[in-house]
Amino acid sequence: MATSTAAERRAEERRAYDAFLSECASHNLLDQISNKWVTLVISALGEGPKRYSDLARAIPGVSQKMLTQTLRIIERDGLVTRTVTAAVPVRVDYALTDLGDSLRALLGKVKCWAEEHMDFVYLAREAYDAREEQTAVAALNRKS
Amino acid sequence: MATSTAAERRAEERRAYDAFLSECASHNLLDQISNKWVTLVISALGEGPKRYSDLARAIPGVSQKMLTQTLRIIERDGLVTRTVTAAVPVRVDYALTDLGDSLRALLGKVKCWAEEHMDFVYLAREAYDAREEQTAVAALNRKS
DNA sequence: CGGTATCCGCCGAGATACTG
DNA sequence: CAGTATCTCGGCGGATACCG
């Protein structure tokens, strides 16, 4: 019997894709660490250990939720350590592990690359947009 | 007159955030290049120029829409070139620019890092999950 | 072949309120 | 201070159909 409904086919493809993902686990990990917040948090932690609220201030635009979520993920992966100091008020420090620091070195280079070539990219975008506008105008002329 | 409604405050904050984003453009670019599909496309193009359909086959799990969208983005940023050969059927080749290739080198290192340390990360995850389960059990005991 | 256009489900992420 | 819990909503991305 053939799997005829769209739902069944979708489920099957989904399973195939999941199988691929768990098989090719490096893509999985790559996806995790090439996340925006992960990059920023690890970069911020490069200067040394920081408290939760320090991180929140050091990373503009991050919400409480995303900061906590990101920290949990990279803690689980063994990239940062979480140290709770029982006091009033409670104090929680985050620090890079050796593994986390080795990744920071790499991501730092990517960050530098982005900063170095930003000007070029922005010029490229302007040029591209200008060309786009021209072709749009040309298309309009052809219609009229 | 104070901006009293929640909608007004939200709009204002949104504008402030947008201003921050365009001001701190490096984060913007960082977000772009640390995208899953961007990473995979640039990596695939590292082996040399490829046709559209080659890319689709080389990157498992990518949809037509996302492939096209991703290619447009990195073409606009000047990371790849798009060459149309007028023939029947049409042939379109994509190739890395020098800028794109320099980024590929960096992302390649990150990819290598991921492959090298994957085992460690997976062990760390298991250890973390085991600890989590323990604390969950402890919490249950305290309740009963 | 190499796209564009359109609809839509789903979930990621922000806002808000509450806790130890 | 450092979270957790819950709701809501925009938009990412998949499916489908159609063009040059």
Side-chain angles (χ1 to χ4, degrees):
Chain A
M1 57 174 94
T3 58
S4 46
T5 75
E8 282 170 359
R9 274 189 28 231
R10 210 178 327 161
E12 188 155 351
E13 283 164 15
R14 166 61 64 128
R15 256 183 296 120
Y17 183 65
D18 284 352
F20 161 73
L21 260 194
S22 41
E23 183 186 356
C24 188
S26 62
H27 279 192
N28 195 333
L29 180 55
L30 195 63
D31 205 16
Q32 293 275 344
I33 64 181
S34 64
N35 167 321
K36 175 189 182 179
W37 297 124
V38 169
T39 308
L40 292 175
V41 167
I42 289 185
S43 170
L45 243 30
E47 303 163 9
K50 280 203 165 69
R51 302 180 57 174
Y52 180 88
S53 47
D54 289 337
L55 283 171
R57 245 171 288 114
I59 304 173
V62 72
S63 67
Q64 229 180 22
K65 181 183 175 180
M66 290 319 295
L67 183 53
T68 302
Q69 195 173 107
T70 304
L71 285 168
R72 285 293 113 80
I73 289 173
I74 59 182
E75 183 201 355
R76 178 165 180 261
D77 285 358
L79 299 177
V80 300
T81 57
R82 179 171 178 271
T83 312
V84 182
T85 309
V88 180
V90 186
R91 177 197 176 98
V92 181
D93 286 272
Y94 292 91
L96 288 177
T97 62
D98 287 352
L99 188 66
D101 196 61
S102 72
L103 179 58
R104 185 200 55 75
L106 282 180
L107 293 183
K109 284 185 183 164
V110 176
K111 203 186 163 202
C112 282
W113 183 94
E115 282 160 4
E116 274 177 38
H117 299 92
M118 218 171 47
D119 296 347
F120 187 92
V121 167
Y122 271 68
L123 287 176
R125 284 185 188 171
E126 281 178 28
Y128 182 91
D129 292 346
R131 255 177 288 141
E132 279 301 282
E133 203 170 334
Q134 292 232 338
T135 60
V137 169
L140 278 176
N141 288 341
R142 227 174 299 128
K143 276 195 180 176
S144 68
Chain B
M1 58 173 93
T3 58
S4 46
T5 75
E8 280 171 359
R9 273 189 27 231
R10 213 176 325 161
E12 186 154 352
E13 282 163 14
R14 166 61 64 131
R15 256 184 295 121
Y17 182 65
D18 285 350
F20 160 73
L21 261 194
S22 41
E23 182 186 356
C24 187
S26 62
H27 280 195
N28 196 332
L29 180 55
L30 195 62
D31 205 14
Q32 294 275 345
I33 64 179
S34 64
N35 169 323
K36 177 187 181 179
W37 297 124
V38 169
T39 309
L40 292 175
V41 168
I42 289 185
S43 170
L45 242 32
E47 304 163 9
K50 280 203 165 70
R51 301 180 59 174
Y52 181 87
S53 46
D54 290 337
L55 282 172
R57 246 172 287 112
I59 305 173
V62 73
S63 68
Q64 227 180 27
K65 180 183 176 181
M66 291 319 297
L67 183 53
T68 302
Q69 196 175 104
T70 305
L71 284 168
R72 285 291 114 80
I73 290 174
I74 59 183
E75 183 201 356
R76 179 165 179 259
D77 285 358
L79 300 177
V80 300
T81 58
R82 179 172 179 272
T83 313
V84 181
T85 308
V88 180
V90 185
R91 178 196 175 98
V92 182
D93 287 271
Y94 291 93
L96 288 177
T97 62
D98 288 352
L99 188 65
D101 197 61
S102 72
L103 179 58
R104 187 201 52 75
L106 282 180
L107 293 183
K109 283 185 184 165
V110 176
K111 201 184 166 203
C112 282
W113 183 95
E115 281 160 3
E116 275 176 36
H117 299 91
M118 219 172 46
D119 296 347
F120 186 93
V121 167
Y122 271 67
L123 286 177
R125 283 185 188 173
E126 281 178 28
Y128 183 91
D129 291 348
R131 255 177 287 139
E132 280 301 282
E133 203 171 333
Q134 293 232 336
T135 60
V137 169
L140 279 177
N141 288 341
R142 226 174 300 124
K143 277 194 180 176
S144 66

